[in-house]
C-alpha cells in the first residue's frame, strides 16, 4: 500500500513538472512574438515618418533602409512650401539657363593635322608638383603640354603633398592618391607617351642628383623649353622639373600653338578623373542633394589665410585671426611674395574689391535676387578661415546650409584615406626644476670685480607653453614647421576639395566669394568657373563685382538706401549682367594668369546664329569664331533642350532633381509677396534687364 502511494506521488510530480515546462516555453514564445511584432511596427512607423518628412534620401550603402539615413546624417532639410513650377518666370530667372551663352559648346578635339606621339622621344620628363588643389591641376595640364612640345616621354607627375613621407596610406603612390592613373594614360595615348616610373638606371641617377633640375615659374615660355630644356634633355635623357608656382607654361600662347591649348583642356576636363573612391562619394553626395527634386546653389568662400594676408584684409576679422593674418603677411613680405606695407587699410581694400565677400554679403545679395530662404546652399572648401562664427549670418538667412560633412558619414570620408598608421605623440616634458645650489656655485665662481652679467639663455620651448597660435606667433617671425599630422591633413584636404570640385561643377548655380589665391593668381573658384564655362556655358554662374556689392551692402547697413524696389532692382540687374559680362571680363583678368580659368575660345565652338541682344553680339565678344561640327548637332543640343524644357517630369542625368529648397516664409503673406515679386520681375524685363 505504501509502495503504491509512493508511485502515485512520483507520477503526479512528473506530470506537474511537465505542465510547468510547457507553460515556461509558451510564455517565452509569446514574449518573443510580441517583441518581434513591436520592432516591426516601430520600423513601419519610422519609414512612414521619414517618407512624410521627405528626408528618406539614398544613403548609398545599398541594403540599409531609409530609417538608417534618418539617423546617420545630422542635417534635416526644412521646406516651408512646395517648389516653384519649372515653367514659372521666377524659376526660369533663378535657375534657368543663360540664353546668351546657349550656343557655346565644348570642343577640345584637334582641328587640323595632328600627329601621334613619336615612338622615339627625346628623353624622359620627370615633374614634381607643389601646391594646393588648383595649382596641382594647372601644373599637370601644363606638364603634358610641355612634354608634347619637346617630344618627351612624360613620367606620371609626382604630387609632393601626397607622397608616403607625408603620413598617408601606403596603398597609393602620389598621383594615384588623387587621380586615376590608368584613365590618365589611356585618355592621352594619342597625345603624349606616358609611363608610370623612370627606368632603373635613370632612377639611380636621379637619386644621386646627376640629372639636370629646373625650378620653372608659371610664366615659362615655349622658347625656354625648346632652347634650354630640350638640349639638356637630349644630352642626359632625363630632365626634372620642380613646379611650385601653379603651372610651368605661360597661359597665353601664340595662335600657332593653339593645339597645345586644346591639349590642356583635354587633360584638365577629360583625362584628369579622380580615383574611384572619390568619384563614388561625390556621386553619392550629388544624389542626396538632388533626391527631393529641387536645385541647389554651390558657394565657394575662398577665404584662406594666405589670400587674406596677400591682399591685406586682416582688419576685417577679430582677435586671433587678425594676428594670424598679419603674421602671415609679415612672413610673405620678407620673402618677396607680396609687396607693400605690413599695415593695410582693410576697409579700403574691401571697398576696392580686393577682399573676399563675406558669407553674410553673399546671403544678402542672393536673397535680394529672389532666392527663397529654403534654398539649399552647399558650402565648398570645408572650414572657412575665421571659424563658424562667420557662417552664422548665412545660416540665419538660409535654413538649408550644408557641406560635405552634412551629407556623408565619417566612415565614408575615412574610406578615402586608406589604411593609415596611428601616430602617438610623445608625452610632454615637464619644465626643468630650478636648483638653488647651482645658482650658489655659479655665484661663488664669479670674480670679486663687478662685471656685467651675460645675457640670459634662450627660453626652452616645451609643448605646454607653445601649443596654439599664441606660442609660435610670439616666438618667431617664421611659420612653424608642419607636424606629420598636419602634413597628413593637407593631403586629406586635396580629397575634400576634389569632392567639392565635382559638386560645384555640377551645381545648378555657382557663386564665388573670392577668385584669387595667396599668390594673386586664380584660385579654386576660378578653376570651377572655367570648367563650368567649358562644360555647360549656359549654366548659372555668378561672378559678382566685389566693389559694387560692397557698396550695395554698405548702403543698406548705413540706412542710406533702404531695401526698396530700387535697391533690389540694382542688385538684380548687377547679378544678371555678371552672367554674361563675367566671362568676358575673365578673358582679361584671369586668363593671362591661368588658362583653365577661361578656356574660351580655344576649346569652344559656336552653334547656330549669332547671339545678339540689345544690339550686342555675344559671339564676337567671346571671340568664338569656330562653328561646331555637324556631328555635335543632336547630342549637344539635346542637353540644352532638356534644361530649357518646362516639363515637370524632366530627369536629365546632370540636371535631374536636387535635394532641398524651401517655400515662402509666411504662408499668409506669401501669395501677396509672390505677386509683388512677379510684378517686379516682369517690370524689370520690360525695362530691359536682360540675362
Amino acid at each position: 500500500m505504501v509502495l503504491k502511494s509512493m508511485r502515485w506521488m512520483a507520477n503526479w510530480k512528473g506530470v506537474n513538472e511537465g505542465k510547468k515546462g510547457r507553460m515556461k516555453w509558451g510564455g517565452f514564445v509569446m514574449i518573443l512574438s510580441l517583441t518581434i511584432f513591436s520592432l516591426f511596427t516601430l520600423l513601419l512607423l519610422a519609414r512612414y515618418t521619414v517618407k512624410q518628412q521627405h528626408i528618406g534620401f539614398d544613403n548609398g550603402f545599398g541594403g540599409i533602409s531609409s530609417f538608417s539615413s534618418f539617423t546617420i546624417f545630422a542635417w534635416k532639410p526644412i521646406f516651408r512650401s512646395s517648389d516653384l513650377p519649372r515653367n514659372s518666370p521666377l524659376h526660369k530667372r533663378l535657375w534657368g539657363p543663360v540664353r546668351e551663352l546657349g550656343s557655346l559648346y565644348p570642343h577640345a578635339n584637334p582641328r587640323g593635322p595632328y600627329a601621334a606621339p613619336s615612338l622615339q622621344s627625346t628623353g624622359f620628363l620627370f615633374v614634381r608638383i607643389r601646391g594646393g588643389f588648383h595649382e596641382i591641376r594647372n601644373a599637370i595640364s601644363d606638364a603634358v603640354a610641355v612634354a608634347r612640345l619637346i617630344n618627351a616621354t612624360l613620367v606620371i607627375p609626382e604630387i609632393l603633398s601626397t607622397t608616403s613621407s607625408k603620413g598617408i596610406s601606403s596603398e597609393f603612390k602620389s598621383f594615384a592618391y588623387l587621380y586615376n592613373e590608368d584613365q590618365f594614360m589611356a585618355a592621352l595615348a594619342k597625345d603624349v607617351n606616358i609611363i608610370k616610373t623612370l627606368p632603373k638606371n635613370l632612377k639611380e641617377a636621379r637619386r644621386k642628383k646627376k640629372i639636370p633640375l629646373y625650378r620653372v615659374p608659371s610664366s615659362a615660355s615655349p622658347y625656354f623649353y625648346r632652347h634650354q630644356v630640350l638640349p639638356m634633355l637630349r644630352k642626359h635623357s632625363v630632365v626634372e622639373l620642380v613646379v611650385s608656382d601653379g603651372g610651368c607654361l605661360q597661359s597665353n600662347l601664340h595662335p600657332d600653338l593653339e593645339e597645345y591649348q586644346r591639349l590642356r583642356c583635354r587633360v584638365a576636363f577629360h583625362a584628369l578623373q579622380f580615383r574611384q573612391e572619390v568619384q563614388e562619394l561625390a556621386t553619392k553626395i550629388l544624389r542626396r542633394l538632388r533626391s527631393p527634386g529641387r536645385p541647389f546653389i554651390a558657394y565657394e568662400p575662398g577665404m584662406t589665410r594666405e589670400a587674406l594676408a596677400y591682399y591685406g584684409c586682416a582688419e576685417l576679422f577679430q582677435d586671433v585671426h587678425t594676428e594670424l593674418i598679419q603674421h602671415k603677411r609679415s612672413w610673405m613680405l620678407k620673402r618677396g611674395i607680396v609687396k607693400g606695407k605690413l599695415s593695410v587699410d582693410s576697409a579700403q581694400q574691401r571697398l576696392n574689391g580686393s577682399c573676399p565677400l563675406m558669407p553674410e554679403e553673399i546671403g544678402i545679395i542672393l536673397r535680394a535676387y529672389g532666392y527663397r530662404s529654403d534654398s539649399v546652399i552647399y558650402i565648398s572648401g570645408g572650414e572657412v578661415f575665421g571659424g563658424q562664427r562667420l557662417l552664422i549670418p548665412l545660416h540665419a538667412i538660409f535654413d538649408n546650409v550644408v557641406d560635405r560633412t552634412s551629407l556623408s558619414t565619417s566612415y565614408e570620408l575615412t574610406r578615402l584615406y586608406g589604411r593609415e598608421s596611428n601616430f602617438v605623440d610623445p608625452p610632454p616634458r615637464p619644465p626643468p626644476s630650478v636648483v638653488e645650489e647651482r645658482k650658489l656655485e655659479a655665484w661663488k665662481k664669479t670674480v670679486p670685480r663687478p662685471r656685467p652679467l651675460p645675457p640670459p639663455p634662450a627660453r626652452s620651448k616645451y609643448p605646454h607653453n607653445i601649443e596654439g597660435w599664441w606660442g609660435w606667433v610670439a616666438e618667431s617671425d617664421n611659420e612653424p614647421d608642419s607636424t606629420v599630422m598636419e602634413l597628413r591633413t593637407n593631403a586629406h584636404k586635396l580629397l575634400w576639395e576634389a569632392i567639392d570640385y565635382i559638386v560645384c561643377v555640377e551645381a545648378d548655380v555657382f557663386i564665388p566669394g573670392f577668385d584669387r589665391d595667396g599668390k594673386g593668381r586664380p584660385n579654386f573658384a576660378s578653376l570651377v568657373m572655367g570648367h563650368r564655362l567649358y562644360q555647360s556655358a549656359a549654366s548659372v554662374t555668378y561672378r559678382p563685382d566685389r566693389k559694387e556689392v560692397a557698396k550695395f551692402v554698405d548702403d543698406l547697413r548705413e540706412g542710406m538706401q533702404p531695401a526698396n524696389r530700387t535697391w533690389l532692382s540694382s542688385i538684380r540687374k548687377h547679378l544678371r549682367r555678371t552672367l554674361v559680362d563675367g566671362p568676358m571680363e575673365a578673358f582679361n583678368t584671369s586668363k593671362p594668369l591661368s588658362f583653365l580659368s577661361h578656356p574660351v575660345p580655344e576649346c569652344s565652338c559656336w552653334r547656330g546664329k549669332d547671339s545678339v541682344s540689345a544690339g550686342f553680339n555675344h559671339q564676337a565678344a567671346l571671340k568664338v569664331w569656330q562653328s561646331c561640327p555637324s556631328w555635335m548637332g543632336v547630342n549637344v543640343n539635346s542637353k540644352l533642350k532638356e534644361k530649357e524644357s518646362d516639363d515637370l517630369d524632366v530627369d536629365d542625368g546632370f540636371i535631374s532633381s536636387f535635394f532641398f529648397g524651401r517655400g515662402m516664409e509666411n504662408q499668409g503673406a506669401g501669395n501677396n509677396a509672390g505677386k509683388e515679386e512677379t510684378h517686379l520681375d516682369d517690370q524689370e524685363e520690360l525695362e530691359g534687364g536682360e540675362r
Side-chain angles (χ1 to χ4, degrees):
M1 190 70 179
V2 174
L3 184 61
K4 288 182 179 180
S5 60
M6 290 177 65
R7 288 177 179 174
W8 182 82
M9 289 293 292
N11 292 336
W12 183 82
K13 287 182 179 179
V15 172
N16 194 21
E17 288 178 359
K19 289 182 179 179
K20 288 182 179 179
R22 286 193 294 273
M23 290 178 65
K24 289 181 180 178
W25 277 104
F28 175 75
V29 171
M30 183 179 295
I31 292 172
L32 182 62
S33 301
L34 290 174
T35 303
I36 294 174
F37 178 76
S38 301
L39 291 174
F40 181 72
T41 304
L42 288 173
L43 183 61
L44 289 179
L45 289 174
R47 291 173 63 89
Y48 175 77
T49 304
V50 171
K51 184 178 180 181
Q52 291 296 318
Q53 294 182 355
H54 298 281
I55 59 173
F57 52 92
D58 178 24
N59 52 44
F61 285 105
I64 297 180
S65 65
S66 297
F67 177 67
S68 298
S69 66
F70 178 76
T71 57
I72 286 176
F73 305 107
W75 178 47
K76 299 178 183 179
I78 302 173
F79 300 123
R80 302 191 182 184
S81 70
S82 59
D83 193 17
L84 291 169
R86 294 192 181 183
N87 57 355
S88 65
L90 183 57
H91 187 280
K92 290 181 180 179
R93 181 172 67 83
L94 297 177
W95 309 101
V98 184
R99 295 190 300 271
E100 289 80 2
L101 301 179
S103 299
L104 189 64
Y105 295 108
H107 183 38
N109 294 341
R111 299 177 186 175
Y114 191 78
S118 174
L119 296 178
Q120 296 181 349
S121 66
T122 55
F124 298 94
L125 183 65
F126 185 81
V127 183
R128 290 191 298 158
I129 303 173
R130 289 192 178 97
F133 178 87
H134 66 284
E135 294 172 316
I136 292 171
R137 202 169 179 88
N138 279 322
I140 292 174
S141 63
D142 287 358
V144 174
V146 169
R148 182 172 177 87
L149 182 69
I150 59 178
N151 190 28
T153 297
L154 178 67
V155 183
I156 291 285
E158 180 181 286
I159 302 174
L160 295 181
S161 301
T162 59
T163 55
S164 57
S165 61
K166 302 300 187 293
I168 66 172
S169 173
S170 59
E171 301 175 23
F172 311 101
K173 183 182 177 182
S174 187
F175 187 91
Y177 187 76
L178 190 59
Y179 295 109
N180 187 330
E181 284 186 347
D182 296 332
Q183 163 67 20
F184 180 74
M185 297 175 67
L188 298 174
K190 297 182 180 180
D191 298 297
V192 291
N193 296 318
I194 303 177
I195 60 174
K196 290 190 176 182
T197 59
L198 283 170
K200 290 185 178 180
N201 60 329
L202 297 179
K203 272 187 180 179
E204 187 66 23
R206 177 179 171 269
R207 192 175 294 110
K208 294 179 179 179
K209 299 182 179 180
K210 293 183 178 180
I211 65 174
L213 184 146
Y214 294 91
R215 301 183 184 274
V216 292
S218 60
S219 58
S221 64
Y223 181 89
F224 167 78
Y225 288 104
R226 286 174 172 170
H227 293 82
Q228 295 190 34
V229 177
L230 183 57
M232 298 299 291
L233 179 63
R234 287 173 175 162
K235 180 179 179 180
H236 296 272
S237 299
V238 61
V239 165
E240 180 175 349
L241 303 182
V242 178
V243 184
S244 58
D245 201 18
C248 57
L249 183 63
Q250 64 186 35
S251 179
N252 290 329
L253 298 177
H254 193 271
D256 295 340
L257 302 176
E258 195 171 283
E259 286 298 339
Y260 293 95
Q261 301 288 54
R262 281 187 278 276
L263 176 57
R264 281 169 157 173
C265 291
R266 292 197 294 275
V267 175
F269 306 136
H270 299 281
L272 281 179
Q273 300 293 326
F274 301 108
R275 61 181 169 93
Q276 183 178 357
E277 295 84 357
V278 177
Q279 203 78 34
E280 288 177 354
L281 182 54
T283 303
K284 288 178 184 178
I285 291 177
L286 277 171
R287 190 184 306 130
R288 292 161 188 170
L289 279 167
R290 293 172 172 172
S291 58
R294 298 195 179 196
F296 71 96
I297 303 170
Y299 162 50
E300 163 60 28
M303 288 193 295
T304 62
R305 179 172 168 237
E306 291 76 13
L308 294 168
Y310 185 89
Y311 289 97
C313 304
E315 296 176 2
L316 301 181
F317 295 82
Q318 296 178 357
D319 306 330
V320 177
H321 301 100
T322 299
E323 293 291 335
L324 289 172
I325 295 172
Q326 287 295 85
H327 188 275
K328 186 69 175 182
R329 183 172 176 82
S330 174
W331 180 85
M332 296 169 78
L333 283 169
K334 291 180 180 179
R335 283 153 183 80
I337 299 175
V338 61
K339 298 179 180 179
K341 299 179 180 179
L342 177 62
S343 298
V344 182
D345 188 351
S346 301
Q348 189 60 42
Q349 288 288 92
R350 173 180 170 273
L351 293 177
N352 293 336
S354 299
C355 290
L357 292 176
M358 292 294 178
E360 178 185 6
E361 296 170 332
I362 292 291
I364 290 174
I365 63 175
L366 288 177
R367 287 289 288 131
Y369 191 72
Y371 291 100
R372 298 184 294 185
S373 60
D374 61 353
S375 300
V376 182
I377 310 291
Y378 180 88
I379 298 182
S380 169
E383 183 69 21
V384 178
F385 185 81
Q388 293 296 316
R389 178 184 62 84
L390 292 181
L391 296 176
I392 292 176
L394 186 63
H395 281 274
I397 298 172
F398 291 97
D399 297 320
N400 297 315
V401 179
V402 296
D403 57 14
R404 65 177 177 279
T405 60
S406 306
L407 299 167
S408 60
T409 64
S410 58
Y411 170 75
E412 289 175 325
L413 290 174
T414 52
R415 276 189 61 205
L416 298 178
Y417 313 145
R419 296 181 179 179
E420 297 178 333
S421 58
N422 295 324
F423 295 118
V424 179
D425 295 330
R429 294 180 298 168
S433 59
V434 179
V435 183
E436 296 296 336
E437 288 77 10
R438 292 182 180 178
K439 288 186 176 181
L440 182 61
E441 291 295 328
W443 179 259
K444 289 180 179 179
K445 292 179 180 179
T446 57
V447 295
R449 183 168 51 86
R451 63 177 182 177
L453 294 176
R459 183 166 62 88
S460 301
K461 297 181 181 180
Y462 299 95
H464 68 274
N465 60 15
I466 66 170
E467 183 179 359
W469 69 272
W470 54 86
W472 56 263
V473 165
E475 293 289 341
S476 171
D477 293 334
N478 296 324
E479 292 287 302
D481 295 332
S482 299
T483 63
V484 179
M485 283 302 299
E486 290 173 340
L487 294 174
R488 174 185 287 182
T489 303
N490 291 336
H492 292 174
K493 287 179 180 179
L494 295 178
L495 300 176
W496 303 341
E497 290 182 331
I499 294 173
D500 291 339
Y501 184 84
I502 297 175
V503 175
C504 289
V505 169
E506 298 294 339
D508 293 86
V509 173
F510 179 75
I511 183 168
F514 202 47
D515 59 355
R516 289 292 183 268
D517 63 6
K519 298 177 182 178
R521 299 172 55 82
N523 65 355
F524 177 92
S526 295
L527 214 62
V528 170
M529 290 187 287
H531 197 152
R532 288 171 66 88
L533 181 63
Y534 169 81
Q535 177 176 294
S536 54
S539 59
V540 180
T541 303
Y542 297 114
R543 302 172 188 247
D545 186 335
R546 295 183 295 275
K547 185 176 181 179
E548 291 192 32
V549 172
K551 184 178 182 301
F552 288 142
V553 175
D554 286 350
D555 289 346
L556 181 65
R557 287 173 177 169
E558 297 171 3
M560 298 177 62
Q561 179 69 46
N564 53 18
R565 288 185 55 177
T566 304
W567 186 82
L568 292 175
S569 178
S570 300
I571 288 186
R572 293 179 181 182
K573 287 181 179 179
H574 170 69
L575 286 181
R576 287 177 188 174
R577 188 171 61 251
T578 64
L579 291 173
V580 178
D581 293 349
M584 300 174 189
E585 294 175 0
F587 181 86
N588 298 319
T589 58
S590 295
K591 188 172 183 177
L593 300 174
S594 172
F595 172 77
L596 296 182
S597 65
H598 189 81
V600 175
E602 292 87 350
C603 300
S604 300
C605 62
W606 196 273
R607 182 168 181 83
K609 299 179 180 179
D610 295 350
S611 177
V612 181
S613 62
F616 189 79
N617 191 328
H618 300 283
Q619 181 182 5
L622 292 170
K623 301 180 181 179
V624 183
W625 306 115
Q626 178 70 30
S627 298
C628 294
S630 57
W631 58 265
M632 294 179 62
V634 177
N635 295 332
V636 178
N637 266 341
S638 61
K639 293 183 180 180
L640 184 60
K641 289 180 181 178
E642 288 178 0
K643 193 168 184 178
E644 291 178 336
S645 175
D646 294 336
D647 188 1
L648 295 176
D649 297 329
V650 170
D651 190 16
D652 183 75
F654 292 97
I655 313 152
S656 142
S657 56
F658 297 89
F659 196 62
F660 310 124
R662 194 179 83 196
M664 296 295 180
E665 284 67 43
N666 299 319
Q667 195 67 26
N671 295 331
N672 294 334
K675 293 178 181 178
E676 228 175 271
E677 188 171 10
T678 304
H679 175 72
L680 177 59
D681 298 334
D682 296 340
Q683 186 66 25
E684 290 175 359
E685 293 292 340
L686 292 175
E687 292 173 359
E690 70 275 353
R691 173 84 80 97

